[in-house]
Amino acid sequence: MYGVMAGADQFIRTVVADVIPRSLTDPNAIEYRQRVVIDSCANPKLVRELYAIATDAVGARRWTVGRDRGARGKLYLSLEPLTKLIGFLRLVRSRCELNSSSFRSEGLAGLADRLAGTFGEEYLTELERYLDALQFEHGFEISAELGSEGGIANTVLHEPRTQPRRRQSVFGQRERHTIEVTDTDESAKQFVWRLVGKSLDRVADVVAHVTDVIVDFFQALRTELAFFVGCVNLSERLQGDGYAVCFPHPLPQGSGASFSFRSLRDPALCLSGVSAVEGNSVDGRGRQLTVVTGANSGGKSTFLRSLGAAQIMMQAGMFVVAEAYEADIRDGIFTHFRLQDDSSMTYGRLKEELVRMRDLTNRIKPASMVLWNEPFASTSEREATEILAPITAALLDSGVKVIVVTHLYDFAAGLSDRQRATDLFLRAERLPDGSRTFRLKTGAPATTSHALDIYRGIFGHDGDSEPDQT
């Protein structure tokens, strides 16, 4: 998913991979970001243009010089990038002004207003006037006082006397008392150049600071736009492939609403392009525990991934791959999926699972969400049930939302027998002929996961009958 969002832009990939897991927990903040994403998807060309401008602006480099290059060189190398940045400010402001009527979100409309208010044409023109004066086409004029031990004190930089008076001075007012130094007075010339260096160093530092401030603005703008460009790229790809996306309704923590969705799909599977992906529709409002059982290879793990991805995307302020989706906000989203066989594991399979489960439960908060996929499949059903049941009970008592895919019939049946209103039981659908629809239906745990269907699909016969010799 991150790859599709980024395209060929590594910076976008870095940003989305950092931002998306940083879940928002305030419904107002989530909906605020959703409105900006909606605006971005409605104005994809503009968002990409703004991102490109910000990227170019960040690349405006301010070169540094050594001490032997002098204060004038330091100043000129600071002026060039600032001049370029003013052009970028005009460009991004004009793009926003031209499209401001199409903005519906506070985010993009606010950006246009801030650009117009902070970097208006009058301000940029005045800034250019200062930069033009700093070219010192008519030389320097600096006044100063003698400090202690013949040092320089209270320097003031003036506009050169020979500069035409077509405009108001941007430097300090000149005093009438001056001292002229002849070309043959080397000690005086060194003193004067020290005076010039001290004055221009201060000006160069100011110019460099202003440059840094504007570059920081463009860096922040580029980072925020990178996320929204990523959302635009993902939305276009998913909808181009025929999958519906919607902006979910985030419900406050503690509302007890849990989740409800229609045609929810796993985004990563949709983007794989292998085949059309089936969606699931579930009404889990008021349910704290969801237990998923049923046919092997029936889409249970895919459902679990789709639910976890939707929760993360919702709390990132994004759309989800569904026709409708709502869920309560959670403080943390934790998963426990089976690992692939690894000969380098320090522990055996069961101990490895126990260590990971301990680490997970130590981090879980009462308002968290846990997604388990076939936990403790490395041991017998009896032992797995004895381990998993008390852990599940403790998490539920603490207010944690638990969604578990399991092959453990005793564990699932024991929970089903309680008949609690906050429990939901789903079962992977299997048609009479053994085919899978990859959809989940409400249903109590069954005693079989129909593994024989998979065997028949591979070998074409039952294990206790003679194979087809043809």
Side-chain angles (χ1 to χ4, degrees), residues 343-372:
S343 59
S344 65
M345 285 194 306
T346 305
Y347 311 111
R349 291 296 301 273
L350 177 57
K351 187 172 182 180
E352 177 273 329
E353 278 205 84
L354 289 169
V355 169
R356 284 201 296 134
M357 187 66 74
R358 179 197 62 195
D359 293 342
L360 182 146
T361 54
N362 285 341
R363 297 171 57 197
I364 292 174
K365 301 176 182 178
S368 295
M369 174 180 180
V370 172
L371 301 105
W372 285 335

Side-chain angles (χ1 to χ4, degrees), residues 375-377 379-390 407-408 411:
F376 300 109
T379 187
S380 67
E381 178 168 347
R382 179 178 178 182
E383 285 185 341
T385 300
E386 290 178 351
I387 296 170
L388 188 58
H407 68 288
L408 303 173
F411 167 75

